[in-house]
């Protein structure tokens, strides 16, 4: 399965605009990654996607200075970066109950 990055970021952006707080932003990213896992994407494809998402969120941070969405982008980017540093992200992701 191909990951439609534009569709995914549009969905994430829309959801980030309607939540408040780190945990809500974290849940959005978890939900997104679990959806990709459910489609049996390879770990490599998901990691590449997460790297691209991290860069996209970092860019969104720069362009949203002073915007109400700025904090949520920061939370989401931080969580994506944390996932990329976790060696057992996949097994951990499957155990989270959201």
């Amino acid at each position: 399965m191909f990951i439609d990055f534009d569709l995914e970021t549009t969905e994430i952006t829309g959801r980030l605009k309607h939540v408040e707080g780190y945990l809500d932003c974290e849940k959005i990213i978890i939900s997104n990654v679990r959806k990709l896992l459910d489609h049996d994407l390879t770990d490599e494809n998901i990691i590449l996607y997460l790297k691209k998402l991290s860069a996209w969120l970092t860019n969104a941070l720069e362009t949203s200075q002073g915007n109400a969405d700025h904090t949520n982008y920061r939370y989401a980017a931080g969580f994506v970066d944390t996932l990329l540093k976790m060696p057992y992200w996949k097994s951990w992701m499957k155990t989270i109950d959201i």
Side-chain angles (χ1 to χ4, degrees), residues 23-58:
L23 292 177
D24 288 338
C25 295
E26 188 176 284
K27 287 178 184 179
I28 290 170
I29 301 301
I30 291 169
S31 173
N32 179 262
V33 173
R34 284 175 121 178
K35 179 178 70 172
L36 298 175
L37 288 170
D38 289 344
H39 285 99
D40 294 327
L41 289 165
T42 65
D43 292 358
E44 183 179 309
N45 284 342
I46 294 174
I47 290 169
L48 290 173
Y49 165 75
L50 288 173
K51 287 179 180 179
K52 190 172 179 181
L53 181 61
S54 175
W56 184 87
L57 286 167
T58 300

Side-chain angles (χ1 to χ4, degrees), residues 79-91:
F79 184 66
V80 170
D81 290 342
T82 299
L83 282 177
L84 287 168
K85 294 175 185 172
M86 294 177 64
Y88 301 106
W89 66 270
K90 187 175 180 179
S91 59

Side-chain angles (χ1 to χ4, degrees), residues 1 6 8-10 16 20 25 27 34 38-39 54 57 62-63 68 74 78 82 90 93:
M1 178 186 152
D6 292 332
E8 295 296 323
T9 54
T10 300
L16 285 174
E20 288 186 31
C25 295
K27 287 178 184 179
R34 284 175 121 178
D38 289 344
H39 285 99
S54 175
L57 286 167
E62 293 171 8
T63 60
R74 182 173 306 286
T82 299
K90 187 175 180 179
M93 188 66 61

Side-chain angles (χ1 to χ4, degrees), residues 68-80:
D69 303 326
H70 180 78
T71 302
N72 286 348
Y73 287 136
R74 182 173 306 286
Y75 291 151
F79 184 66
V80 170

